[in-house]
Amino acid sequence: MDSAHTHAQTLGERESIWFKLTMLTKADQPIQNLVRMAEKYGGCIKINLRDERIFFLTDPAHFKHCLITHVDKYGKYFDGLTPIFGKSMITVDGALWQKIRQPQQPAFQPMMFTGYVPYLLSSVRERAKAWERFAETGESFNMLQETWTLAASMICKALFDRDMPFNPEVVFSAVKTYTDVAQHKDIRLRKVNGELSEVPLDESAADAIKTWISVPPQVLGAIPRDHREKTLMTMLDEVLADEGRPEFDRQQVLDEMKQYLWAGTETTALTLAWAFYLIHLHPEVGDRILNEGLEVYGDRTPNWQDLQNLHYTRAVIQETMRLYPPIWSFIREAVAEDEIAGRKVEPGDKMVLSSYVVHHSERWWPEPERFSPERFMPNAIRERQKTHPYIYMPFSLGKRSCIGGQLSIIENSLALTQLLRRFRPEYLGEVPARISATVTLTPENGALPFAIKT
């Protein structure tokens, strides 16, 4: 099993690119600095910082270049996240990545999604009970923590055939602490200044690691709900037992679980929380989601086919991810010489592909700051794919795109169509809500204050 102490020593070990990016995004409206830079200097900006070169890319042609056409020249960059994801497929490249991904891919095919729906619904019903209490008491709550709890429950039930065995409030707090880059930067500075030779486990970020690495073993050791024959968990068990796959040992299984329990939960939760925020600002959107559900499945429990027909509800989720992409920038590290926009790229150069900037560019989107789910109705998507296929990338692009992207959309569409039948969450914070651009695009301080109206 992972050693929390060993992983804690990696905190602040190298000056991560995330530290440098926070320098670029400091402002009352953080990420808008990057938007203005892209508008002024174009789609490829080379930034020299000490002994490191960073290319800030905001042209869809460059996205295609790095993620599809010349994908083998650019490796994944996850400096600082190894304690979280270990050697899971989210952090490895090449032939090893293919060997690790292949046995998991079947868990994310439509034929499997059909069986997931009842378990996703079970998690939604659990949240609805909690929201009933909020409605009765009138107390406020952090919507992001609520959606994180819901997303974590969905992952545990659907993919691992377990009820969530850990305290979501504690784990959510750990996730927010670890992804706060300032925590790592403070440790880095104290190391450089000679004030810290060993990172103690009572450091906030170190304690977050300790909490986090206990989660996958808890899930793995929990009693299966229904002993289903085919889940992601059974697929991992099968490959673990396969002597022909030496790369898969118990630690590898735990590492694979990490990416779903952290990355899958985090991105789904952020999207749903921002969706409720936008629906509060545009109540007619909530009405339309409600009416679509009534037209598609009426009073009965929705099934997989019903979800395929919730076109507008799904469009709301996709438009939310355009405005608030959970991963606001994808980082790649050059592993071979190349050229982009006439600029020479050398091994070790970091490429920052900012989906956020492209999603908010007037060059590609009419009135980009306007919330308009109609952009993602089926006909609109088809037309855009003909002319600008690489301007929307909430889950990255190409063969390294997120394995669970479609499942995330299904989870959130189901949550919206069900919860808006009974509740109208009311946002209580300032408008517009402030954002924090660290590893993910989160609300400032990791919170969106809400209350429940029935």
Side-chain angles (χ1 to χ4, degrees), residues 22-257:
T22 56
M23 296 170 59
L24 297 175
T25 59
K26 281 183 178 178
D28 289 337
Q29 296 180 321
I31 213 164
Q32 295 303 321
N33 273 355
L34 301 179
V35 176
R36 287 190 285 270
M37 284 175 59
E39 291 174 350
K40 184 175 182 179
Y41 298 110
C44 177
I45 306 170
K46 187 174 76 170
I47 304 168
N48 294 313
L49 294 175
R50 296 183 183 175
D51 59 346
E52 187 168 49
R53 301 198 316 171
I54 299 172
F55 287 79
F56 184 64
L57 306 179
T58 59
D59 190 313
H62 300 150
F63 294 176
K64 179 184 178 182
H65 181 101
C66 292
L67 300 177
I68 298 177
T69 311
H70 298 281
V71 63
D72 293 334
K73 292 185 178 182
Y74 299 93
K76 298 274 290 203
Y77 175 86
F78 268 90
D79 184 26
L81 293 182
T82 300
I84 300 305
F85 299 115
K87 296 183 297 180
S88 69
M89 68 174 172
I90 203 171
T91 63
V92 299
D93 275 309
L96 179 59
W97 168 77
Q98 292 177 327
K99 288 182 179 179
I100 292 174
R101 179 173 174 130
Q102 186 272 330
Q104 300 178 65
Q105 188 69 54
F108 300 93
Q109 300 300 318
M111 61 181 294
M112 291 293 292
F113 293 163
T114 303
Y116 295 159
V117 171
Y119 298 94
L120 304 181
L121 281 167
S122 173
S123 296
V124 172
R125 285 192 288 268
E126 289 175 358
R127 278 304 89 206
K129 289 180 181 178
W131 286 21
E132 286 174 359
R133 294 192 294 272
F134 290 138
E136 290 171 359
T137 64
E139 65 184 292
S140 61
F141 60 92
N142 179 2
M143 178 60 82
L144 182 55
Q145 181 172 317
E146 281 297 298
T147 58
W148 196 95
T149 299
L150 172 57
S153 175
M154 285 176 159
I155 290 294
C156 288
K157 285 182 170 65
L159 297 184
F160 301 126
D161 194 25
R162 267 74 166 172
D163 288 318
M164 185 168 53
F166 51 84
N167 184 325
E169 183 176 345
V170 171
V171 179
F172 172 80
S173 178
V175 168
K176 292 297 103 183
T177 297
Y178 191 86
T179 52
D180 180 357
V181 175
Q183 300 278 350
H184 303 248
K185 190 169 187 177
D186 177 64
I187 292 173
R188 168 69 179 174
L189 290 175
R190 282 185 286 154
K191 279 186 172 183
V192 171
N193 294 334
E195 301 170 10
L196 193 68
S197 59
E198 183 176 279
V199 181
L201 284 178
D202 59 2
E203 287 280 347
S204 296
D207 186 63
I209 292 175
K210 181 180 177 181
T211 297
W212 166 246
I213 65 175
S214 72
V215 170
Q218 288 183 64
V219 175
L220 186 62
I223 299 173
R225 281 175 54 96
D226 297 322
H227 296 275
R228 285 142 61 200
E229 292 185 3
K230 209 67 174 176
T231 63
L232 176 60
M233 191 73 260
T234 64
M235 293 175 190
L236 290 172
D237 286 340
E238 288 172 5
V239 74
L240 177 61
D242 185 351
E243 294 181 358
R245 294 181 180 271
E247 64 274 5
F248 264 94
D249 54 14
R250 186 176 186 275
Q251 186 57 54
Q252 190 66 46
V253 170
L254 291 172
D255 286 349
E256 296 310 313
M257 294 174 69

